[in-house]
Amino acid sequence: MEATDNPALRIVGGHTGLDLVNTVEPRVPGAEPEKEHLNTPEELLEWAVRTRVVEPVEAREIQLVWQGEAALAAVLAIREALYAVLLARLNEEGGPILPYQPALEQLGTRYAAAVARGSLTLPPDSPKIGRLRLGDVAAFAVQDRLAAIAVDLLTRENIEDLRQCPLDEGGCGWLFLDRSRNHSRRWCAMADCGTRVKARRLTVKRRGRQLPPN
Ligand SMILES: [Zn+2]
């Protein structure tokens, strides 16, 4: 998905699980982010509608029945656990691998809770194939759907395509799936980090040229 109309937060991960991870800027392992986009239950719900985790009509119902702060805490736990696991997979070749077992357990527990609230149904349009529906309980819908999305990302997506906007080159550390044809996408979004880093390099170069020779 390309960057959308909201200038406050770009949606560029290519999977909602990655977009969840990318709700802090910059994404530096072990460091406090400069900007947190999910500060309140309202911000979470707004983000969930924007990323189509919930429909606008559902959001109204959720707001009436959920315990917003508890849901926010659950979602942030899912987010950080998912980030820890993805980071470990990114660093498998070369970099240090932080312990990610607790993060996997966290995700497993959250997913199990979602399944416990789920229901097995036979959809009217194809009653021969049963379907496990998760996230239908409004009070827990946001966290349960995001737990399912996190598990989907870890179990189904080709993690070979996972990239990190390069922090050591001035990028933001966000994660994204590189779906470009020749696997050459380097930045979360060329229009943002790529251009910014290039502009900065140009300024440094120009300044270098203006220095008087010694
Ligand atoms: Zn970036």
Side-chain angles (χ1 to χ4, degrees), residues 10 165 171-173 188 193:
R10 293 162 292 128
C165 188
C172 65
C188 63
C193 281

Side-chain angles (χ1 to χ4, degrees), residues 163-174:
R163 302 273 182 280
Q164 185 176 31
C165 188
L167 280 165
D168 53 353
E169 293 174 53
C172 65
W174 277 11

Side-chain angles (χ1 to χ4, degrees), residues 29-202:
E32 277 291 308
E34 284 165 30
K35 188 149 178 55
E36 164 68 76
H37 288 274
L38 303 180
N39 295 291
T40 61
E42 291 71 32
E43 282 182 359
L44 170 60
L45 204 50
E46 202 177 291
W47 175 87
V49 170
R50 200 175 153 223
T51 51
R52 299 191 179 150
V53 172
V54 303
E55 297 295 324
V57 57
E58 294 178 300
R60 279 192 287 278
E61 192 197 342
I62 290 168
Q63 208 158 22
L64 290 175
V65 296
W66 77 342
Q67 293 188 310
E69 292 295 340
L72 178 62
V75 168
L76 295 185
I78 291 166
R79 181 184 76 180
E80 295 312 308
L82 181 59
Y83 179 57
V85 176
L86 291 171
L87 204 61
R89 300 198 59 174
L90 262 177
N91 291 339
E92 256 165 14
E93 293 159 19
I97 299 180
L98 299 169
Y100 56 88
Q101 195 56 38
L104 279 176
E105 282 164 21
Q106 170 76 242
L107 289 174
T109 307
R110 299 280 174 187
Y111 184 69
V115 171
R117 285 187 280 268
S119 55
L120 193 57
T121 62
L122 292 177
D125 50 340
S126 59
K128 287 181 186 160
I129 303 166
R131 205 162 74 201
L132 180 61
R133 289 183 58 97
L134 303 186
D136 278 353
V137 181
F140 299 93
V142 177
Q143 72 204 61
D144 284 356
R145 289 177 196 182
L146 285 170
I149 284 167
V151 168
D152 174 77
L153 176 61
L154 292 176
T155 55
R156 285 163 38 136
E157 280 296 334
N158 184 1
I159 238 72
E160 295 296 305
D161 295 341
L162 185 66
R163 302 273 182 280
Q164 185 176 31
C165 188
L167 280 165
D168 53 353
E169 293 174 53
C172 65
W174 277 11
L175 304 184
F176 57 88
L177 293 174
D178 177 10
R179 294 219 169 98
S180 64
R181 209 176 295 157
N182 52 358
H183 288 266
S184 60
R185 184 172 159 194
R186 295 188 55 228
W187 309 97
C188 63
M190 194 61 207
D192 297 296
C193 281
T195 310
R196 205 176 58 230
V197 169
K198 273 192 180 161
R200 203 184 302 144
R201 273 193 204 137
L202 210 62

